[in-house]
Amino acid sequence: MTNSLDQLKATGTVRDETSKCLRGKKRKGHFRENLLIFFLLTTVVCDSGDFATIDKYKPQDATTNPSLILAASKKSEYAKLMDVAVKYGKENGDDLDNQVDTSLDRLLVEFGKEILKIIPGKVSTEVDARFSFDTKESVNKALHIIDLYKSVGIDKSRVLIKIASTWEGIKAAHILQSEHGINCNLTLMFSLVQAIAAAEAGAFLISPFVGRILDWYKASTKKDYAAHEDPGVQSVHEIFDYYKKHGYKTIVMGASFRNKGEIVELAGCDYLTISPNLLEELYNSQDSVPKKLDAAAATNKDIPKKSYLDDESLFRFDFNEEQMAVEKLREGISKFAADAVTLKGILKEKIQKA
């Protein structure tokens, strides 16, 4: 399977780029010696749409979403990107609403293009959350985004299409991976059920949301959790072990962290996408970082295999049994959709004034 972490490592891409980054940071005094091990165990991805932040930390990859792009787009230094997107929307859209949608797509690609000038790897660009329950529209939007990247000289191999881990989203990822060779990042993942279906779909990468799982359990149980017993951390451990046990090549990328302890407890995970403030904490930390996830050890565990990709009713029933996952998926889709609407409002105003 071409979408494997093993193949990325075999080419030396992850290892070589990480080593270059670490040598540079070490020379500048930005790293503690014991953290060098962490950054060699786990590929670090920057969860930000801010170019200066990404350039500072020199991650392998970067992830974006409507919320991050909205925050970044309000800064004056990104006005030129907004102008490019608005001009493109006016020239290529029919009515005002279509111009706004077209401008948003181009804005996402403009951010991605600039980020790819900084990082050696891939950028994740998200499909409109409105299509989270529409396989056909998700596929069409993904193909359009890839076409836009191609028009500005970016090959599809450097882009991950982010899609919510609904049944429809997982099926869309399956189509994009198998029929179009487009790599996908299945996001808003809160359960093993979603993860199993995603792996069967051949998704390049999944993003289990560690911190949002913790949020739900803290609100539900009215208690705090030590890092090693954090429900979000345990969820990633479960998914990671399942994948390694059954030989799936889909990359596990822990996301949405609330504290440094969660990150340290996932040392050894394939990828971790980390916000700038927590990256700074890691760089300045003196704590030891032992390996917590072990692919070789997982292969010896007794983990029964399940299947969902060809059984929609079973997927929906088993997923529905996990209250936390159902609620957090709904909430995440709504939040991303709302931020996209806000971003469209900004673009609409600029189009009308242009």
Side-chain angles (χ1 to χ4, degrees):
M1 187 180 295
T2 58
N3 57 343
S4 72
L5 178 65
D6 292 339
Q7 289 183 339
L8 287 175
K9 288 182 175 177
T11 64
T13 302
V14 171
R15 180 182 62 253
D16 293 346
E17 294 299 337
T18 301
S19 296
K20 289 177 188 176
C21 174
L22 292 175
R23 287 197 297 271
K25 295 286 187 185
K26 187 177 178 183
R27 283 196 301 270
K28 296 175 183 177
H30 289 176
F31 268 80
R32 304 285 183 181
E33 287 291 336
N34 52 14
L35 278 179
L36 294 177
I37 299 172
F38 175 78
F39 284 87
L40 291 170
L41 286 173
T42 296
T43 298
V44 174
V45 178
C46 190
D47 196 21
S48 176
D50 183 80
F51 305 153
T53 296
I54 295 169
D55 189 45
K56 176 181 178 180
Y57 295 110
K58 297 292 192 299
Q60 169 70 22
D61 295 343
T63 54
T64 66
N65 61 48
S67 303
L68 294 174
I69 299 298
L70 175 61
S73 67
K74 293 178 179 179
K75 298 180 180 180
S76 59
E77 56 263 42
Y78 301 114
K80 290 183 179 179
L81 301 187
M82 296 287 281
D83 291 343
V84 169
V86 167
K87 183 175 184 293
Y88 182 85
K90 285 190 70 92
E91 292 176 351
N92 292 275
D94 298 325
D95 56 28
L96 180 59
D97 287 340
N98 185 249
Q99 289 176 355
V100 171
D101 285 342
T102 302
S103 295
L104 177 57
D105 291 342
R106 183 57 186 262
L107 181 64
L108 297 177
V109 170
E110 285 297 311
F111 268 90
K113 181 184 72 173
E114 295 303 315
I115 289 170
L116 287 170
K117 293 178 181 178
I118 303 169
I119 62 172
K122 304 175 188 294
V123 67
S124 289
T125 298
E126 192 145 347
V127 165
D128 195 324
R130 293 178 306 162
F131 303 138
S132 295
F133 303 100
D134 190 323
T135 296
K136 182 179 179 181
E137 288 301 323
S138 292
V139 170
N140 289 342
K141 179 63 76 171
L143 294 174
H144 177 60
I145 290 171
I146 292 298
D147 283 343
L148 284 177
Y149 270 112
K150 184 178 179 180
S151 73
V152 296
I154 304 297
D155 187 76
K156 67 180 181 181
S157 63
R158 298 201 68 196
V159 181
L160 295 182
I161 295 295
K162 283 181 77 174
I163 304 174
S165 300
T166 57
W167 170 260
E168 294 82 3
I170 292 168
K171 296 298 280 190
H174 186 218
I175 293 169
L176 290 166
Q177 294 277 171
S178 62
E179 298 181 15
H180 301 281
I182 293 172
N183 289 326
C184 297
N185 170 355
L186 280 167
T187 189
L188 292 174
M189 185 162 290
F190 303 99
S191 72
L192 182 61
V193 174
Q194 293 168 294
I196 291 172
E200 291 182 297
F204 182 88
L205 180 149
I206 62 166
S207 298
F209 275 37
V210 179
R212 297 195 193 189
I213 294 175
L214 175 64
D215 293 344
W216 189 91
Y217 276 97
K218 286 178 69 174
S220 177
T221 65
K222 309 301 181 185
K223 61 173 283 190
D224 292 321
Y225 293 85
H228 70 277
E229 61 180 6
D230 184 308
V233 168
Q234 292 178 348
S235 177
V236 175
H237 274 260
E238 182 182 32
I239 292 168
F240 181 90
D241 286 350
Y242 185 93
Y243 277 16
K244 306 315 175 188
K245 170 66 178 181
H246 297 295
Y248 288 113
K249 303 303 182 181
T250 297
I251 294 169
V252 180
M253 182 174 74
S256 179
F257 295 105
R258 295 294 179 261
N259 55 69
K260 180 170 69 68
E262 290 179 322
I263 297 168
V264 172
E265 285 295 322
L266 292 176
C269 191
D270 299 332
Y271 281 25
L272 296 176
T273 181
I274 305 172
S275 63
N277 62 310
L278 290 176
L279 278 173
E280 190 67 28
E281 282 191 43
L282 279 171
Y283 290 162
N284 294 321
S285 174
Q286 299 185 52
D287 297 337
S288 61
V289 187
K291 188 176 184 178
K292 297 289 187 175
L293 292 111
D294 190 322
T299 62
N300 296 319
K301 294 184 177 181
D302 182 17
I303 305 174
K305 192 172 186 178
K306 297 181 179 179
S307 181
Y308 292 107
L309 189 62
D310 296 320
D311 194 337
E312 180 180 354
S313 62
L314 180 61
F315 173 90
R316 292 192 184 280
F317 181 83
D318 284 358
F319 180 69
N320 189 67
E321 290 297 286
E322 301 192 34
Q323 182 182 353
M324 174 277 298
V326 172
E327 292 180 6
K328 297 309 289 186
L329 177 61
R330 182 212 62 77
E331 177 185 273
I333 290 171
S334 294
K335 177 66 165 61
F336 283 160
D339 284 342
V341 168
T342 301
L343 196 49
K344 287 180 182 180
I346 296 171
L347 289 167
K348 182 177 183 179
E349 183 177 348
K350 289 181 176 294
I351 288 171
Q352 290 173 321
K353 291 181 178 179

